[in-house]
Each structure stands twice: as structure tokens, then as C-alpha cells.
Amino acid sequence: VQLQAYGGGLVQAGGSLRLSCTASGRTFDSAVMGWFRQAPGKEREFVAHINWIGGSTYYADCVKGRFTISRDYAKNTVYLQMNSLTPEDTAVYYCASSPYRRPSPSPNQYDYWGQGTQVTVSS
């Protein structure tokens, strides 16, 4: 599975961004798509995930109510709509694919990763 993430950028606090991630290749190996982020000096942390089949979602507490993950099954694309952004959301955001239907929110549950896209929120 190859993943291409895009849509990052610079935004002021309180603003919004939408990230996209398109999957290609052996997409049938992917059961769940997730978004993670990594700020400088910090570990990679889970943000949200969505099941390709059924569309069930799961969010980290720190983004619940502000971020929305969705997917377009026909386009093999997953989106992360991020609203009410704060400087604490600044990080490189990665999309990832998991073969598990109910992966735990840990990077080791995901076997394919996109290249990452930078999100910077200014105060």
C-alpha cells in the first residue's frame, strides 16, 4: 500500500485545515486508515482512525469535537478536517494503514505510512 498525504500548511490559531491521504497499490490489505502526528522532540501520537468498511471512527481525546475523519471509498482517500486549531496542534501529520479492523491507537498497529505533511498553527 502506498500512501500520499497532503494538505498541510500554516494557519492561525482558531483556523481550519483539511488533510487528505490517498491510498494506492494493495489497498485491499488495508482495513483501517489512521492519522498520527509528531511534534519536535515528542513521540508520534495517535489522532484518529476510520474503518474503510462501515466508516466507524475513533478519536484521541485531545482532538475530539474539533477534528473529523472521513473517507471516500471510491477514491481510496481519507480526510482529516481540523477545526479550532491551536498551536499545540503543530506537528507533522502522517496517514497510515492498518490491516486490523480494531487497531489500538499505537503506531505499531500500522504497517504502511505516508510521507507526512507539516501543519503549523501560529498564535
Side-chain angles (χ1 to χ4, degrees), residues 4-22:
Q4 180 73 35
Y6 47 98
L10 173 63
V11 64
Q12 289 188 331
S16 299
L17 279 175
R18 188 177 82 156
L19 306 183
S20 302
C21 177
T22 299

Side-chain angles (χ1 to χ4, degrees), residues 2 5 7 14 17 23 25 28-29 40-41 54 62 68 77 80-81 83-84 86 98 101 106 121:
Q2 291 81 47
L17 279 175
F28 49 83
D29 286 343
C62 59
T68 302
T77 299
L80 186 68
Q81 177 66 43
N83 298 328
S84 302
T86 74
S98 174
R101 292 188 177 183
S106 171
V121 184

Side-chain angles (χ1 to χ4, degrees), residues 79-100:
Y79 306 96
L80 186 68
Q81 177 66 43
M82 306 184 294
N83 298 328
S84 302
L85 286 161
T86 74
E88 290 68 38
D89 295 314
T90 295
V92 177
Y93 283 70
Y94 298 90
C95 61
S97 169
S98 174
Y100 308 116

Side-chain angles (χ1 to χ4, degrees), residues 1 20 49-50 54 75 102:
V1 179
S20 302
H49 81 217
I50 187 166
K75 295 182 179 180
R102 294 182 179 181

